C-alpha cells in the first residue's frame, strides 16, 4: 500500500507547481523540503499569541529569530561614508519593544525607504533576522518583516486563529512565507495514511494523524498544540523503534561461533601479568561481554566510558578471549595516529604474550600486527600473510583493514573504536570478512544519555564504564576571554611555562592546520550593508587559528626557548608517529596540534592544554580533548581561549564545559544545543534527521514506551505484513540507506 500520491507530489514540477518555483527551490535547497508530505512535517518551532509579545530579553545570539513586537520609535540619520562622502548616507534606526526588553533594528542605504514609511510608532509586526551585538546592544540588521494589520483581508486570513505559528526558517525564506505555503497544502493532510496500529492509537488516547497535522499548523487553542505534539512525537518514536526492533530481530537470527576462553589460556596469562587489579566496573563489563561471546548469535554491544576509564583494557581482554577460543580479533581505529598508539600500548601491555612465533615469546603467545594505509609494501605483505595463516591473533588498523586484499583465517570479533567516525559501509565490510558474522564491540568515549543510546544505538546492548581507574587526577578548566581581557591570555602562556618548568608537558590545540589556501568565501567576507562590524562578527569572520601560524608565533614569542613541535592530519604518517614518540618520551615540551589528538593519545606527563578558538569546537569534542591531560598523578589544567563576547551562546557553551567534568551532563547540553540531527548522524546517513518533534532528552518516557510497543509488534509480525501503513511510513522515514545506518549503530 502506498502513501496517497498527493503527499508524494513534488513542490516543484516542470508543468504545474504546488508552490511558486522560486519558493519551492529555496525550500528544497535550504530546508530539504521537496514534497507536500515534507512540508506538512515541517512543524512550527513555537507559537506567538496575538495579545502576547515575544520576550526580547531572552533572544539568543547568532541565531536567526522571528519576533512579534511593537515599534516604539523610528529615526532616520544621515552620515558620511566611503560610498556617500557628502553626508548622503542614510541609516534608519527602529526600536521595537515587547514590554520585557527592547531591540534595535537598522536599515541602510536604499533599503530605508520602505520601512521608513511602514514602521511607524505603534505598528505591530513580525520581524525576522540574525541577532548580533553592536555597541554592546542587541540588534537586527536589515530584518525582513511582515506587518500585523487588523484589516480583514490579510491578517485574519493569513493568521487565522489567535496563535501564530513560527516556523524554523532561513534568511532566504521567512517564517510567515512558510506559513502561507503550508496553508496551500494543508487540505491534503486529510489524505495522510496513519502509521500507528489502531489498537495502539486508541489505547494511548492519541488523535488520528490528519487531525494532528491540522492542529499543529492551525491550532485554535493551546490544547490543540498539545494533542498534536503528543501524537506526532509518538509517530517518530514508534517508527524509529520499529526499525531498530526489526534490526535486532534479524540479528538474533544470524548464526555465530561461540567463543569461550580456555581456563588456562592467553587471557589467564595476561591477567596474571597485570600490575593492578581491574576496577569493579571493568570486571562487570567484562562479564557482560564474555557472556555475549559465549552465545551462538553475534554479540552487538556498545561500550561507553569516560575518557580514561580503561575501555581499551576491557576490549583487549575480549580480544584475548576470542584468540584463546581459536579465533582472530580486529580493532578498527579512526586515524593512523590512534591505530599506531593502540598497537604500541597493546604490545606493551601484553609483553612476551605478543611475541607469538618469535624467540623469547611466551608459550601461549600470539602475534599482534598493525595494518595501515601508509605501510611499506614488504611490511604490509608480511602483515597480510600473518592474518591469512592465522599466525596473528590480533590486528589493529585503520580502514586499510577493509580492503579486498585483507583475508582473515577466522575472524571472531570486531572492535570499533570511536565508531561515530566510521561510515556504515566501512563497518559492514569488515564484519563481512568472517566465515560467519563476527561478534561486534563498539567503543565510544563520548558519553551518551540513555535515551540517545536507545534511539541511535537501539540495536546494541549497552555497557557503561563509569569509574575512573585509581591514579587519575582531576582536571581544572577555565575560560580565557582573549578579546575582553588580553592579560588573561598572557597569563595562560605563563602557566604553560610554569608546567614545563616543573618537568611537565603541554598541548596547544587549534581548529585549522594552516597550509591550505584560505577559502576566500570563508575568510572575512566584506560586509556589504555598510553597517559597522560588531566584535562578534569580527571574531566569527576571521579564519580559525591555525597550527602552523600559532606554533611559529609561540616559538618566537611567549614560549621562546621551549621545545615546540606540530602535529596535524596532513603530515606523513611516519613523521606523525615520530612526533608522537618524541612527545611521549618527553623530548618535546609543547605539542601544537589539531584534533588528531582528540581520541586515544596517552601521555601521562602532559598536564596542561590550551584550546585556541575553543568556541569553534562542540561541547563533547572539548570534553574529549580535555581528557588528554591529567592522565598521570599530577593534576590537569585546560584553558579554553575565545574571542567571543560574554553574552554570546558560544561563551555560555564554554562556561558549561568549564563548570563540569561530567561527560553525561555535557552530552545533554550538547544535544540540547545541537538538536538531534547531528546525533542521528546526518553526515553519515546523508538523510535528513527523521526527528522533528521528538526531543531525545525530554521525551525519555515516550521513547522507552515506544521501544516496548515496537518490540511487541515486531515479535508478532516481523515483516509488518498486517500493518501496511506502518510499513509505508517506515520506508518513507527510513529509506534503505538510513535503515542501514541504524543497523550498524
Amino acid at each position: 500500500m502506498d502513501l496517497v500520491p498527493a503527499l508524494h507530489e513534488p513542490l516543484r514540477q516542470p508543468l504545474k507547481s504546488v508552490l511558486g518555483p522560486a519558493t519551492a527551490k529555496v525550500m528544497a535547497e535550504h530546508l530539504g523540503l521537496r514534497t507536500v508530505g515534507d512540508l506538512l512535517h515541517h512543524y512550527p518551532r513555537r507559537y506567538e499569541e496575538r495579545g502576547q509579545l515575544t520576550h526580547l530579553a531572552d533572544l539568543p545570539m547568532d541565531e536567526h529569530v522571528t519576533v512579534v513586537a511593537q515599534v516604539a520609535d523610528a529615526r532616520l540619520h544621515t552620515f558620511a561614508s566611503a560610498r556617500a562622502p557628502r553626508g548622503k548616507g542614510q541609516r534608519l534606526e527602529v526600536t521595537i519593544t515587547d514590554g520585557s526588553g527592547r531591540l534595535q533594528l537598522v536599515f541602510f542605504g536604499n533599503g530605508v525607504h520602505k520601512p521608513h514609511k511602514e514602521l511607524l510608532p505603534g505598528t505591530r509586526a513580525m520581524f525576522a533576522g540574525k541577532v548580533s551585538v553592536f555597541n554592546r546592544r542587541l540588534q537586527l540588521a536589515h530584518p525582513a518583516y511582515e506587518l500585523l494589520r487588523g484589516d480583514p483581508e490579510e491578517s485574519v486570513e493569513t493568521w487565522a486563529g489567535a496563535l501564530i505559528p513560527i516556523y524554523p526558517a532561513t534568511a532566504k525564506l521567512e517564517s510567515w512565507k512558510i506559513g502561507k505555503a503550508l496553508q496551500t497544502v494543508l487540505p491534503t493532510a486529510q489524505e495522510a495514511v496513519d502509521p500507528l496500529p489502531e489498537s495502539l492509537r486508541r489505547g494511548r488516547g492519541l488523535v488520528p494523524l490528519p487531525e494532528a497535522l491540522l492542529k499543529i499548523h492551525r491550532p485554535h487553542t493551546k490544547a490543540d498544540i498539545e494533542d498534536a505534539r503528543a501524537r506526532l512525537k509518538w509517530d517518530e518514536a514508534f517508527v524509529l523503534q520499529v526499525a531498530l526492533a526489526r534490526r535486532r530481530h534479524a540479528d538474533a537470527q544470524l548464526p555465530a561461533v561461540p567463543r569461550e576462553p580456555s581456563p588456562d589460556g592467553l587471557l589467564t596469562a595476561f591477567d596474571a601479568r597485570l600490575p593492578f587489579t581491574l576496577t569493579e566496573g571493568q570486571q562487570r563489563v567484562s562479564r557482560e561481554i564474555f557472556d555475549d561471546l559465549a552465545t551462538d548469535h553475534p554479540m552487538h554491544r556498545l561500550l561507553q566510558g569516560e575518557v580514561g576509564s580503561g575501555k581499551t583494557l576491557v576490549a583487549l581482554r575480549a580480544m584475548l578471549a576470542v584468540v584463546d577460543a581459536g579465533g582472530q580479533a580486529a580493532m578498527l581505529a579512526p586515524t593512523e595516529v590512534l591505530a599506531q598508539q593502540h598497537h604500541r600500548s597493546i604490545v606493551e601491555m601484553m609483553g612476551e604474550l605478543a611475541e607469538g612465533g618469535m624467540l623469547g615469546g611466551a608459550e601461549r603467545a600470539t602475534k599482534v600486527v598493525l595494518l595501515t594505509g601508509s605501510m611499506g609494501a614488504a611490511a604490509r605483505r608480511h602483515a597480510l600473510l600473518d592474518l591469512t595463516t592465522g599466525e596473528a591473533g590480533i590486528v589493529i588498523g585503520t580502514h586499510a583493514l577493509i580492503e579486498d586484499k585483507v583475508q582473515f583465517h577466522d575472524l571472531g570479533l570486531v572492535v570499533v573504536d570511536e565508531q561515530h567516525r566510521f561510515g556504515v559501509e566501512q563497518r559492514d565490510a569488515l564484519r563481512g570478512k568472517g566465515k560467519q558474522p563476527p561478534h561486534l564491540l563498539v567503543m565510544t568515549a563520548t558519553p551518551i544519555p540513555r535515551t540517545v543510546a536507545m534511539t541511535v544505538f537501539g540495536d546494541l546492548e549497552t555497557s557503561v564504564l563509569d569509574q575512573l581507574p585509581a591514579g587519575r587526577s582531576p582536571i581544572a578548566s577555565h575560560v580565557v576571554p582573549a578579546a575582553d581581557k588580553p592579560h588573561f591570555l598572557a597569563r595562560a602562556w605563563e602557566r604553560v611555562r610554569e608546567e614545563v618548568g616543573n618537568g611537565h608537558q603541554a598541548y596547544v590545540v587549534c581548529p585549522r592546520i594552516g597550509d591550505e589556501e584560505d577559502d576566500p568565501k570563508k575568510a572575512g567576507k566584506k560586509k556589504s550593508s555598510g553597517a559597522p562590524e560588531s566584535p562578534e562578527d569580527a571574531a566569527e569572520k576571521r579564519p580559525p587559528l591555525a597550527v602552523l601560524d600559532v606554533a611559529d608565533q609561540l616559538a618566537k614569542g611567549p614560549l621562546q626557548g621551549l621545545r615546540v613541535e606540530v602535529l596535524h592530519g596532513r603530515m606523513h604518517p611516519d613523521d606523525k608517529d615520530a612526533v608522537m614518540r618524541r612527545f611521549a618520551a618527553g623530548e618535546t615540551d609543547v605539542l601544537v596540534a589539531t584534533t588528531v589528538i582528540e581520541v586515544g593519545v596517552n601521555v601521562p606527563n602532559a598536564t596542561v592544554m590550551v584550546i585556541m578558538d575553543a568556541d569553534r569546537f562542540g561541547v563533547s569534542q572539548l570534553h574529549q580533548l580535555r581528557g588528554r591531560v591529567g592522565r598521570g598523578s599530577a593534576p590537569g589544567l585546560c584553558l579554553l581561549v575565545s574571542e567571543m563576547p560574554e553574552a554570546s551562546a558560544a561563551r555560555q557553551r564554554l562556561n558549561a564545559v568549564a563548570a563540569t567534568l561530567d561527560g553525561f551532563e555535557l552530552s545533554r547540553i550538547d544535544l540540547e544545543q545541537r538538536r538531534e540531527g547531528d546525533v542521528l548522524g546526518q553526515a553519515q546517513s546523508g538523510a535528513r534527521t527523521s526527528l522533528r518533534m521528538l526531543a531525545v532528552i525530554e521525551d525519555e518516557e515516550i521513547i522507552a514506551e515506544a521501544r516496548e510497543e515496537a518490540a511487541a509488534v515486531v515479535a508478532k509480525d516481523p515483516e509488518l505484513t498486517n500493518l501496511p501503513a506502518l510499513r509505508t511510513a517506515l520506508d518513507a522515514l527510513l529509506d534503505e540507506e538510513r535503515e542501514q545506518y541504524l543497523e550498524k549503530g
Side-chain angles (χ1 to χ4, degrees):
M1 174 176 174
D2 199 5
L3 265 177
V4 176
L7 297 195
H8 273 328
E9 199 169 315
L11 294 171
R12 185 181 181 205
Q13 297 173 25
L15 297 175
K16 71 174 188 70
S17 282
V18 177
L19 305 176
T23 306
K25 183 170 188 261
V26 173
M27 282 195 172
E29 288 177 5
H30 294 272
L31 294 168
L33 307 175
R34 292 180 174 79
T35 66
V36 172
D38 288 346
L39 183 52
L40 283 173
H41 287 293
H42 187 70
Y43 307 131
R45 177 178 283 154
R46 57 190 172 83
Y47 300 84
E48 286 297 348
E49 289 181 66
R50 275 284 170 89
Q52 182 193 352
L53 291 154
T54 320
H55 284 299
L56 292 180
D58 304 332
L59 284 182
M61 289 289 306
D62 296 334
E63 283 186 29
H64 204 276
V65 297
T66 303
V67 296
V68 176
Q70 189 162 355
V71 176
D73 66 42
R75 295 176 188 186
L76 190 63
H77 302 274
T78 54
F79 61 91
S81 70
R83 286 186 187 169
R86 296 188 190 154
K88 297 273 178 69
Q90 289 192 305
R91 180 175 78 246
L92 176 66
E93 290 180 1
V94 177
T95 306
I96 59 173
T97 180
D98 65 351
S100 78
R102 295 166 84 80
L103 179 65
Q104 191 159 35
L105 317 177
V106 285
F107 301 87
F108 290 93
N110 297 333
V112 305
H113 305 306
K114 186 167 175 274
H116 191 219
K117 275 199 259 177
E118 293 182 336
L119 297 178
L120 304 170
T123 308
R124 297 200 54 226
M126 298 173 79
F127 301 92
K130 189 174 175 188
V131 183
S132 56
V133 171
F134 180 63
N135 281 345
R136 298 188 176 267
R137 288 169 69 192
L138 292 180
Q139 71 166 26
L140 294 182
H142 280 284
Y145 62 88
E146 176 93 338
L147 300 178
L148 293 176
R149 299 191 181 94
D151 65 77
E153 258 330 86
E154 190 174 3
S155 285
V156 177
E157 204 39 55
T158 316
W159 317 111
L163 294 160
I164 303 168
I166 306 291
Y167 289 93
T170 76
K172 294 215 167 25
L173 194 67
E174 293 85 23
S175 167
W176 50 87
K177 288 185 182 163
I178 296 170
K180 284 176 181 169
L182 264 151
Q183 299 301 335
T184 312
V185 302
L186 207 48
T188 53
Q190 294 299 347
E191 301 164 20
V193 177
D194 202 323
L196 288 191
E198 185 64 12
S199 56
L200 189 157
R201 187 182 72 70
R202 287 182 185 284
R204 301 213 166 250
L206 299 167
V207 300
L209 181 58
E211 187 184 326
L213 290 170
L214 286 169
K215 282 182 166 176
I216 200 79
H217 293 298
R218 292 187 77 163
H220 292 291
T221 62
K222 288 184 176 172
D224 283 354
I225 300 170
E226 288 313 305
D227 285 353
R229 280 191 167 148
R231 165 60 215 248
L232 295 166
K233 283 181 174 191
W234 251 96
D235 273 20
E236 288 175 11
F238 182 69
V239 173
L240 195 53
Q241 292 301 336
V242 166
L244 293 164
R246 291 185 69 212
R247 196 65 271 142
R248 288 196 299 275
H249 183 269
D251 283 339
Q253 314 307 310
L254 293 173
V257 180
R259 311 279 180 175
E260 293 197 54
S262 44
D264 55 351
L266 193 54
L267 179 61
T268 310
F270 173 74
D271 283 349
R273 48 170 290 129
L274 279 177
F276 50 82
T277 53
L278 300 177
T279 64
E280 271 174 48
Q282 287 172 324
Q283 289 173 9
R284 184 192 72 248
V285 171
S286 288
R287 277 196 300 277
E288 291 168 354
I289 292 171
F290 291 156
D291 288 349
D292 283 359
L293 289 174
T295 60
D296 55 8
H297 58 87
M299 164 171 82
H300 289 100
R301 190 166 281 280
L302 170 70
L303 170 55
Q304 55 172 30
E306 281 283 14
V307 176
S309 57
K311 291 183 300 297
T312 311
L313 178 62
V314 168
L316 175 55
R317 294 183 74 243
M319 294 197 281
L320 294 173
V322 169
V323 174
D324 258 354
Q328 290 169 292
M331 183 185 235
L332 189 58
T335 64
E336 294 214 346
V337 166
L338 192 52
Q340 286 163 337
Q341 179 115 18
H342 273 318
H343 180 254
R344 222 173 15 246
S345 66
I346 282 174
V347 168
E348 272 170 28
M349 277 197 270
M350 286 176 65
E352 73 271 13
L353 296 174
E355 295 169 1
M358 292 185 249
L359 277 173
E363 180 191 344
R364 302 185 193 84
T366 186
K367 249 190 196 175
V368 180
V369 300
L370 176 68
L371 191 65
T372 63
S374 63
M375 283 168 77
R380 188 179 175 75
R381 233 183 356 260
H382 208 83
L384 290 172
L385 187 64
D386 283 343
L387 287 183
T388 314
T389 59
E391 186 90 5
I394 294 177
V395 58
I396 293 143
T398 54
H399 47 78
L401 279 176
I402 294 161
E403 290 168 14
D404 293 342
K405 289 196 226 64
V406 181
Q407 299 296 327
F408 288 85
H409 176 63
D410 179 13
L411 180 61
L413 171 66
V414 173
V415 178
V416 182
D417 192 19
E418 290 305 323
Q419 72 80 36
H420 59 278
R421 306 237 174 160
F422 289 99
V424 174
E425 299 77 17
Q426 293 173 310
R427 290 196 290 273
D428 229 10
L430 186 52
R431 280 170 71 178
K433 289 185 181 290
K435 293 188 179 109
Q436 284 192 326
H439 298 282
L440 175 70
L441 181 64
V442 168
M443 299 198 296
T444 177
T446 309
I448 302 162
R450 177 172 160 261
T451 41
V452 183
M454 278 197 290
T455 310
V456 187
F457 302 104
D459 58 340
L460 298 173
E461 297 299 324
T462 305
S463 294
V464 180
L465 274 177
D466 44 16
Q467 284 172 293
L468 285 188
R472 289 297 300 262
S473 303
I475 305 167
S477 305
H478 302 284
V479 178
V480 178
D484 311 349
K485 299 178 177 164
H487 59 286
F488 275 37
L489 183 58
R491 174 70 189 123
W493 301 127
E494 281 173 24
R495 283 291 292 115
V496 170
R497 293 194 83 97
E498 285 165 15
E499 286 298 312
V500 172
N502 290 333
H504 297 303
Q505 291 160 279
Y507 295 101
V508 177
V509 181
C510 305
R512 199 165 59 97
I513 296 172
D515 60 356
E516 65 274 7
E517 285 185 29
D518 281 337
D519 179 343
K521 287 187 200 144
K522 289 183 187 162
K525 281 189 291 191
K526 288 213 166 60
K527 214 166 175 166
S528 54
S529 66
E533 193 167 64
S534 72
E536 187 145 11
D537 282 344
E540 204 175 63
K541 290 196 170 161
R542 133 179 104 56
L545 290 171
V547 165
L548 299 175
D549 305 339
V550 169
D552 191 48
Q553 288 159 14
L554 291 176
K556 289 175 180 166
L559 301 186
Q560 197 172 5
L562 301 187
R563 297 168 298 178
V564 177
E565 285 210 61
V566 299
L567 179 71
H568 59 74
R570 277 208 289 275
M571 289 165 64
H572 186 279
D574 289 351
D575 296 340
K576 275 193 275 197
D577 197 37
V579 168
M580 271 318 300
R581 279 175 188 274
R582 284 196 293 275
F583 190 63
E587 293 163 22
T588 305
D589 299 319
V590 180
L591 188 62
V592 183
T594 55
T595 54
V596 290
I597 62 149
E598 180 185 347
V599 285
V601 173
N602 185 21
V603 179
N605 192 42
T607 53
V608 60
M609 175 179 285
V610 182
I611 303 179
M612 308 302 291
D613 277 347
D615 47 87
R616 311 260 179 158
F617 300 99
V619 169
S620 293
Q621 196 174 27
L622 290 169
H623 182 58
Q624 287 278 39
L625 284 165
R626 158 172 77 182
R628 301 299 116 215
V629 294
R631 298 178 79 84
S633 51
L637 172 66
C638 177
L639 301 173
L640 306 165
V641 180
S642 172
E643 291 185 4
M644 294 306 252
E646 199 158 348
S648 64
R651 272 286 285 282
Q652 284 159 15
R653 247 193 353 256
L654 296 183
N655 291 340
V657 174
T660 179
L661 289 173
D662 181 341
F664 285 91
E665 176 57 29
L666 288 174
S667 70
R668 288 180 80 96
I669 293 168
D670 206 9
L671 254 181
E672 282 158 8
Q673 297 210 333
R674 292 186 305 155
R675 292 288 294 169
E676 284 71 30
D678 298 4
V679 177
L680 287 184
Q682 280 167 296
Q684 287 172 330
S685 72
R688 292 169 65 243
T689 169
S690 59
L691 300 192
R692 295 178 180 83
M693 186 61 76
L694 194 71
V696 290
I697 290 291
E698 295 157 29
D699 299 321
E700 184 163 343
E701 212 170 291
I702 294 177
I703 292 170
E705 288 174 15
R707 184 179 167 105
E708 276 175 38
E709 294 274 12
V713 165
V714 171
K716 205 153 70 179
D717 179 7
E719 293 306 311
L720 309 180
T721 318
N722 302 316
L723 296 166
L726 175 56
R727 179 78 242 199
T728 304
L730 200 61
D731 293 342
L733 270 177
L734 307 168
D735 52 30
E736 274 311 297
E737 179 186 25
R738 188 156 187 79
E739 194 155 6
Q740 291 285 307
Y741 169 68
L742 286 166
E743 170 190 338
K744 312 305 171 306

